Amino acid sequence: MLEGIAYVDGGVLAPQGFLAAGVSAGLKRSGKRDVAVIAAQDRCPTAAVFTRNAMAAAPVLVSREHVADGHARAVVVNAGNANACTGERGRADAQAMAEAAAAALGCGPQDVLVASTGVIGVPLPVDLVIAGIKEAVERLDVIGGDAVAEAIMTTDTFPKQVAVRIEVDGRAYAVGGVAKGSGMIRPDMATMLAFITTDAPLDPRACDAALRQAVEVTFNRVTVDSDTSTNDTCVLMASGAAGGAAITPDDARFAPVAVAIEYVCGELARMIARDGEGATKLITVTVTGARDESDAKRAAFAIAESPLVKTAVFGGDANWGRVAMAIGKSGAALDPSRVRIVFAGVLTCENGTAVPFSEEEAARALSGPEVEIVADLGAGEASATVWTCDLTYEYVRINGEYRS
């Protein structure tokens, strides 16, 4: 926990000025909640980042347009169907979701963002979704965060939410967040949705700057299977309900609030990696000694996305040669004679060659729920960290049976 930041209860509803609800509209075969609404009490500064996948889903296309003016009133979400690769009908259905929420909330459709997650290429049962949106709006309250966390899940094994409070110039501000993501995870801004709220009075430019700074070093540093979803969406809404003058990017108050937003995004990002489909271990990959940050990221992702590294961790094998292979193929500049690899806290490679180590000690270190891999490229001073998970038999089963 960073100094000055404290955990609080409430998740996405910890900040003042927001209401939420999650309901079952019949999209999930299980009958569990599958439609959610997060609404600000008033139209407020909002920023969003989306997938860079060229096959972006209809809700992404609609939300990009609606958030362009830097404001929104609400976000509506459905799980169980991605509304992706659904053509003009999909676009119309996403717009209909926004219109239904707007009519129920008493705002304009352009003030509603839309997100969907689930199976690609299947027409959205829009009548069910619209009925769910209307019901969710009727149920909006200040304790609906848990219901939202459940409603946006697909193959997730646990809901993902967190909230913190920070004091800035004698005034307390809260930042809360909720996310979903387990497979098809490699955000480029995984299937990932994240919704962040704050009651700090960020103006639209500060909202956008804070979100982009946070996403770059959190959600953009997660990979489960290297696949970037068609639906990735991350939204930040700032109600300003905690009071105070508007915060701009140049304001001295911006930095501490931005740190709190980054902290929340980082916690959610690690939850997504920990909950990778079939995962048994969270893997933190840190590359140091890189020529620049770009090289550090390139090498870290090469390690984190290597099936051989991920299966070695699953099997409890400190096979550092697979890490060496991954950084070597990454294209990052390195000095082979200076490469150093620490696998699960055990030094396994120094100056590019093997170092004697206890296989038993390494196996014990690899048996826990979290594993860290550190590789020094010996080429500079830059570093980067990426989070991933192990690759298991269960991942194959989950994705082999996904539509069955």
Side-chain angles (χ1 to χ4, degrees):
M1 172 64 71
L2 295 177
E3 184 178 353
I5 295 179
Y7 286 117
V8 294
D9 296 329
V12 75
L13 290 182
Q16 302 172 59
F18 295 96
L19 303 169
V23 302
S24 174
L27 281 76
K28 290 179 179 176
R29 296 176 184 177
S30 65
K32 293 182 178 179
R33 292 184 177 96
D34 47 26
V35 169
V37 176
I38 302 169
Q41 292 176 334
D42 297 293
R43 185 173 184 264
C44 66
T46 300
V49 291
F50 304 97
T51 182
R52 292 177 184 160
N53 192 310
M55 297 293 287
V60 168
L61 302 179
V62 169
S63 293
R64 279 177 179 159
E65 293 180 357
H66 287 192
V67 79
D69 69 353
H71 291 82
R73 172 76 189 281
V75 179
V76 295
V77 193
N78 76 270
N81 185 298
N83 193 14
C85 301
T86 47
E88 287 304 313
R89 170 180 168 175
R91 181 68 173 260
D93 288 345
Q95 185 64 33
M97 290 173 63
E99 291 171 356
L105 290 166
C107 66
Q110 71 279 4
D111 288 329
V112 178
L113 307 188
V114 183
S116 300
T117 180
V119 177
I120 293 170
V122 177
L124 184 72
V126 70
D127 291 344
L128 293 179
V129 176
I130 288 175
I133 290 170
K134 293 177 179 178
E135 180 183 354
V137 172
E138 291 174 357
R139 295 190 180 190
L140 287 173
D141 58 38
V142 295
I143 58 172
D146 290 348
V148 170
E150 177 191 319
I152 65 177
M153 293 168 59
T154 50
T155 57
D156 304 61
T157 64
F158 63 86
K160 302 167 178 67
Q161 52 185 332
V162 66
V164 301
R165 192 173 301 280
I166 186 169
E167 189 169 305
V168 182
D169 287 348
R171 193 183 296 271
Y173 296 125
V175 179
V178 62
K180 66 82 55 182
S182 188
M184 199 183 286
I185 301 291
R186 212 293 201 175
D188 195 7
M189 6 163 286
T191 304
M192 188 203 90
L193 303 179
F195 308 104
I196 317 299
T197 57
T198 182
D199 50 22
L202 299 176
D203 77 358
R205 290 189 305 120
C207 215
D208 187 71
L211 181 64
R212 292 182 185 279
Q213 287 176 200
V215 166
E216 175 54 29
V217 294
T218 59
F219 294 122
N220 273 1
R221 304 292 175 91
V222 174
T223 180
V224 169
D225 44 28
S226 80
D227 287 331
T228 297
S229 166
T230 54
N231 291 62
D232 290 344
T233 299
C234 182
V235 177
L236 169 63
M237 303 180 75
S239 70
I247 298 175
T248 68
D250 300 322
D251 193 304
R253 295 170 295 161
F254 173 77
V257 174
V259 167
I261 291 168
E262 181 181 317
Y263 190 87
V264 166
C265 291
E267 289 289 279
L268 293 172
R270 285 183 286 275
M271 290 181 197
I272 289 172
R274 189 187 306 277
D275 195 30
E277 288 173 339
T280 65
K281 296 177 176 68
L282 169 67
I283 306 172
T284 300
V285 177
T286 299
V287 168
T288 61
R291 179 179 56 187
D292 52 34
E293 187 181 17
S294 177
D295 266 9
K297 284 175 57 179
R298 185 178 295 114
F301 270 110
I303 297 168
E305 292 177 347
S306 166
L308 293 177
V309 172
K310 289 157 70 74
T311 50
V313 173
F314 173 58
D317 178 14
N319 192 336
W320 65 269
R322 295 181 177 182
V323 176
M325 170 277 299
I327 62 176
K329 75 171 185 178
S330 70
L334 58 83
D335 182 344
S337 68
R338 298 180 62 193
V339 166
R340 187 174 192 267
I341 298 171
V342 179
F343 208 126
V346 178
L347 179 63
T348 55
C349 171
E350 184 81 85
N351 297 324
T353 61
V355 173
F357 65 93
S358 167
E359 295 283 358
E360 292 75 17
E361 178 187 352
R364 283 194 299 272
L366 283 162
S367 66
E370 297 189 17
V371 172
E372 184 175 18
I373 298 172
V374 181
D376 191 302
L377 306 187
E381 303 297 327
S383 63
T385 296
V386 168
W387 297 283
T388 188
C389 59
D390 55 344
L391 180 58
T392 70
Y393 309 121
E394 188 67 2
Y395 177 87
V396 177
R397 185 195 67 77
I398 289 170
N399 283 284
E401 299 176 358
Y402 186 65
R403 296 203 310 155
S404 57

